Amino acid sequence: MGLFSKKPMHLLLEEAGDSGKGLKRTLSAGALVALGVGAIIGAGLFVRTAAAAAQNAGPSVTIGFIIAAIGCALAGLCYAELSSSIPISGSAYTYTYATMGELMAWVIGWDLVLEYAVGAATVGIAWSEYLNKLLVEVLHVAPIPYEWCHSPFQSHPDGTVNGIMNLPALFIVGILSLLLIKGTSESAFVNGVIVITKVAIVILIIVLGWGFIHEANHHPYIPPATTYVDHAGISHSFGGFWGVVGAAGTVFFAFIGFDAVSTAAQETKNPKTAMPIGILGSLAVCTILYILFAHVLTGIAPVEFFRTKGGEASVVAAISEYMTGYGWLAKLVTVAILAGFSSVILVMLLGQSRVFYSMSKDGLLPKMFSDLHPKFKTPYKANLVILVIVGLFAAFIPGDVVGDMTSIGTLFAFMLVCIAVIILRKTDPDLPRQFKTPWVPLIPVLGVLACGLMILGLGWTNWLRLFGWLALGFIIYFGYSAKHSVLGKTGKGVHPTDPPKPEILD
C-alpha cells in the first residue's frame, strides 16, 4: 500500500454501523446545534470583532462577517454531505482518508491540531485573563497574582515581576478534559446551559445597544483604503477591498467550531439527518447574531476607541463608556465571555480527542489514543494526553504566539473538505447520501475560492508558519505513522487487535 492509498468506503461504513463496540450514541440534532453554537460564540465574537474593526475594516466589519459566513456556509454544505454519508469520528481527517489517501489524511489530521488543541490552549489563556476581570470588576476581590496567571515568557508592564505559570488556564483545561472523560452527553448538557446563557446576553447587547448607535460612527461605512500600523509595528490593510477581506480572515476565527460538530458523528443518534441540521443550523444562528452584534458595537463606539482604550475587553469597555446606566450589562458580558470561552474549549477538546481517536484506529498514532473507558465509552487516554499537551501550552506559552495559525489551519482543512466532495461524487456515485450538497462541483469550487481568498488576507507570514508546522508533521509521519499504518500493513482500515466486525451486505 502506498502513501496515497485510500481507506475503503465499505470499512468506514462498517465502523459507522458497529456502534455496540465503539463510542456511545447519545447526541440529538438539537444537542449538535447547541454544540456548534457553543463552539462558535466565544473569543471570536467578543474579541475578534473589535480587532477587525480597529485593524481592517471599521464599521464594514459586518461585510467581513458576511464573507466569512459565505465561505463557512459553502464548506458547511460539503461537511453536511460528508458527515451524513460517512458518520465516523474524525471530521476532515476521515473524509480526506477516504478520498485523497493516507498522506493527505495525515496532513489534514496534523493540521487540525492547529484548530483544536492549539486553539483550546489559546482560548484557555484568554479565559485566565477574563477570570481576573471577573474577580476585580464583578466580585470586587483581589485578582490572582500576576506570576500565577502568566507564562514565564511574560513580564509585568512595570517590569517588577515575571510570570511563572498560568494556573487558571491549566485549571479550566483540566476540568473540561475530565468532564469529557465522564461522557459526551454530560458534556453536551453543560454546554447547553452555557450556550443559553451567552446567547441571551448577546441578544441583550443587540437589543439594548441599538438605541445607543451613533450614525456618525458608521460613516463612511467602508473606509477609504489606507494602511494602519498597530502598536506592535505590524501593518494592516485598512478600508477598501483588501481591508474588508482582511477583516473576513480575522473574524473567520469567530466561526471556527461548527465543523467540530462533524467530529461527533459516531456519537449521534441519527447522524444522517442530525449532522446537516447541527452543522448548518449552528452556522445560521451564529451568522445572524454576528452581523447584528458587529453593527451595534461599531455604532456605539468609534474606530479610534477600539484602537486605544478597547483592547481585548473592547465590548465591556464600550458598554461602560458609551451606554450610560448599563454598568450591570458590562458585568454580565464579563460572565458571558467566561462562559463562552469555556464552551469553546470544551468543544475544541472534544474535536481533538475524536480526531486522535480516528487516527489511532488507523495506526497513524499509538493505539492508546483509541482505547475507550470501560464504563463511560469515551477515549479517556486520548483526553488525558491532550490535557497534558494543551495544559502545558496554556500554562507556559503566551497566547499571542499562535496568532492567526488557528485560522489558516482551519481554512486549509475546509478547502480539502470541499475537494473531497467532488472526488467522492466521482469515485462513489452510488454512496447513500441523506444530504447532498447542491450544484456540485460549483459549490465546492466556490468554497475553495472563498477560503483561499481569506487565506490571502491573512498575509504571507502565516503561510510560513503553516509550512513549518506541516514540515514537523511530515517528520512524525515518516518516522512513525507510515511504519505503523494499519492500511499499509494489512490493506484494511481496522486495527489488527480490534474484535472482528460484522460483514455488511452490498
Side-chain angles (χ1 to χ4, degrees):
M1 306 296 286
L3 297 177
F4 298 99
S5 299
K6 301 174 184 177
K7 190 171 183 180
M9 188 59 63
H10 72 277
L11 291 176
L12 285 171
L13 297 179
E14 279 184 27
E15 291 179 39
D18 192 20
S19 58
K21 298 184 180 68
L23 299 167
K24 190 185 295 183
R25 294 192 183 276
T26 57
L27 300 178
S28 64
L32 289 178
V33 172
L35 203 65
V37 173
I40 298 170
I41 296 181
L45 180 63
F46 295 115
V47 178
R48 303 293 272 188
T49 303
Q55 298 172 357
N56 301 108
S60 61
V61 65
T62 53
I63 303 176
F65 270 119
I66 293 172
I67 294 173
I70 290 172
C72 289
L74 294 169
L77 289 168
C78 297
Y79 262 106
E81 174 172 326
L82 293 175
S83 62
S84 64
S85 305
I86 316 172
I88 296 292
S89 290
S91 184
Y93 159 77
T94 299
Y95 312 147
T96 306
Y97 211 160
T99 55
M100 293 177 235
E102 182 173 285
L103 181 62
M104 288 304 297
W106 168 264
V107 168
I108 203 63
W110 182 247
D111 179 67
L112 286 174
V113 176
L114 289 178
E115 177 180 358
Y116 296 135
V118 177
T122 306
V123 179
I125 295 167
W127 188 93
S128 173
E129 295 178 7
Y130 274 92
L131 176 64
N132 266 338
K133 291 184 181 296
L134 176 72
L135 295 175
V136 175
E137 299 173 10
V138 179
L139 302 180
H140 304 294
V141 298
I144 298 168
Y146 183 91
E147 58 268 28
W148 295 113
C149 58
H150 291 83
S151 87
F153 301 99
Q154 294 173 295
S155 59
H156 196 277
D158 62 15
T160 57
V161 62
N162 289 326
I164 297 176
M165 68 182 300
N166 197 328
L167 284 178
L170 179 61
F171 169 79
I172 189 63
V173 170
I175 288 295
L176 294 177
S177 295
L178 295 177
L179 178 61
L180 282 172
I181 291 173
K182 177 67 169 64
T184 307
S185 59
E186 291 83 357
S187 303
F189 173 77
V190 172
N191 178 70
V193 174
I194 293 174
V195 168
I196 293 171
T197 302
K198 63 184 179 181
V199 169
I201 293 177
V202 169
I203 293 174
L204 264 180
I205 294 173
I206 293 170
V207 173
L208 298 178
W210 202 273
F212 289 87
I213 293 176
H214 295 282
E215 291 301 322
N217 293 332
H218 281 160
H219 295 288
Y221 203 77
I222 302 178
T226 57
T227 299
Y228 167 68
V229 181
D230 63 22
H231 298 297
I234 300 174
S235 297
H236 304 270
S237 296
F238 183 80
F241 175 78
W242 285 110
V244 173
V245 170
T250 298
V251 301
F252 175 79
F253 182 85
F255 287 98
I256 290 175
F258 80 87
D259 58 304
V261 172
S262 66
T263 67
Q266 216 167 339
E267 295 157 275
T268 302
K269 293 177 182 177
N270 186 10
K272 288 184 179 296
T273 55
M275 274 290 130
I277 294 173
I279 292 171
L280 299 178
S282 60
L283 186 58
V285 169
C286 292
T287 299
I288 295 170
L289 289 176
Y290 278 13
I291 293 171
L292 293 175
F293 181 89
H295 182 76
V296 169
L297 185 64
T298 56
I300 291 174
V303 171
E304 196 59 35
F305 174 82
F306 299 123
R307 293 177 174 175
T308 53
K309 297 181 181 180
E312 282 201 351
S314 285
V315 177
V316 174
I319 293 172
S320 300
E321 184 155 338
Y322 293 99
M323 291 179 62
T324 306
Y326 286 94
W328 58 269
L329 182 59
K331 294 179 179 180
L332 275 181
V333 170
T334 302
V335 175
I337 289 174
L338 272 175
F341 285 173
S342 300
S343 60
V344 170
I345 296 169
L346 179 72
V347 180
M348 285 180 169
L349 292 173
L350 170 69
Q352 185 61 73
S353 65
R354 273 42 176 185
V355 171
F356 276 2
Y357 172 84
S358 295
M359 295 176 76
S360 172
K361 294 284 285 184
D362 295 326
L364 303 185
L365 289 176
K367 192 176 183 298
M368 61 172 288
F369 285 95
S370 57
D371 288 342
L372 299 182
H373 193 283
K375 179 181 179 181
F376 303 131
K377 295 297 182 184
T378 56
Y380 68 110
K381 292 182 180 178
N383 281 121
L384 291 174
V385 173
I386 292 165
L387 164 58
V388 173
I389 296 171
V390 176
L392 287 174
F393 190 98
F396 296 107
I397 305 297
D400 58 4
V401 169
V402 180
D404 289 320
M405 283 185 69
T406 301
S407 290
I408 197 169
T410 309
L411 284 166
F412 183 52
F414 284 7
M415 292 172 74
L416 289 184
V417 167
C418 292
I419 295 171
V421 167
I422 299 175
I423 295 175
L424 203 59
R425 287 286 185 96
K426 296 291 184 182
T427 58
D428 289 90
D430 299 324
L431 180 70
R433 293 171 171 86
Q434 188 71 25
F435 178 88
K436 296 186 72 173
T437 304
W439 304 319
V440 174
L442 178 62
I443 292 295
V445 169
L446 290 176
V448 171
L449 294 176
C451 292
L453 180 64
M454 283 186 276
I455 286 178
L456 287 177
L458 288 172
W460 63 271
T461 53
N462 288 298
W463 275 97
L464 291 180
R465 292 174 187 148
L466 178 63
F467 291 146
W469 179 257
L470 293 178
L472 178 61
F474 282 128
I475 293 173
I476 297 174
Y477 175 77
F478 289 106
Y480 175 88
S481 304
K483 300 175 184 177
H484 295 82
S485 167
V486 174
L487 188 63
K489 285 182 176 181
T490 67
K492 298 181 178 179
V494 292
H495 202 282
T497 56
D498 284 346
K501 309 273 185 174
E503 292 186 2
I504 302 295
L505 296 178
D506 294 332

